[in-house]
Amino acid sequence: MSTTVWIILGGAVMTYLTRIGGHLVLSRFERIHPRVEAGLNAVPAAVLTTLVAPAAVSAGPAEAIALLVAGLVSLRAGMMPMFLTGAAVLIALRQVMG
């Protein structure tokens, strides 16, 4: 197998171990502290920020416009419409702008 396949398999195994490890640790508690629950609820937004921030800083006008549109949609709609609208705008602008 190639190195790329091994990297993908290693990443998949590590991702699975991370997820199952968190589940095993949290399942030992009967009640989760509200602060821990609030922190866990903030994880998706933090992960999304780490994915979007580099594009916001170093990308071109298509990415900046898509981020702006997605931000505006997020003011009125949920996360999934925001994500889909941002992706659609980015794809359309990349096709138009080249």
Side-chain angles (χ1 to χ4, degrees), residues 20-57:
I20 196 71
H23 175 73
L24 290 174
V25 168
L26 289 178
S27 67
R28 298 184 71 162
F29 298 100
E30 291 182 17
R31 184 174 168 267
I32 298 174
H33 193 276
R35 288 186 180 184
V36 173
E37 187 172 347
L40 291 174
N41 288 335
V43 168
V47 171
L48 188 60
T49 301
T50 62
L51 296 174
V52 171
V57 173

